[in-house]
Amino acid sequence: MFKQIKDLAGGELYLITSLLIFMVFFVLVGIYLFKMSKKHIELMRNLPIDEPQINPYEQD
């Protein structure tokens, strides 16, 4: 398997590189989400609900 990876022609190298970048990005995002505080998640979850609703058509 490693012999095939070492003998790549060039186009395949871009495919493997993009796959590795994709995997690293999503692993880092996953780690970030697991380390995020639960208080911050709860705040962000309720943010749209806690905002006052403004009716632009209401006359003062």
Side-chain angles (χ1 to χ4, degrees), residues 9 35 44 46 51:
K35 287 189 165 223
M44 290 296 139
N46 293 326
E51 290 181 357

Side-chain angles (χ1 to χ4, degrees), residues 34-52:
F34 278 115
K35 287 189 165 223
M36 189 181 293
S37 72
K38 302 302 178 200
K39 186 176 180 182
H40 180 71
I41 293 172
E42 192 66 32
L43 175 73
M44 290 296 139
R45 181 185 301 164
N46 293 326
L47 191 61
I49 298 170
D50 292 340
E51 290 181 357

Side-chain angles (χ1 to χ4, degrees), residues 11-35:
E12 293 88 2
L13 185 62
Y14 292 113
L15 294 173
I16 291 174
T17 304
S18 63
L19 177 65
L20 287 175
I21 291 171
F22 178 82
M23 288 176 53
V24 166
F25 173 76
F26 280 101
V27 166
L28 290 176
V29 168
I31 291 170
Y32 173 74
L33 290 175
F34 278 115
K35 287 189 165 223

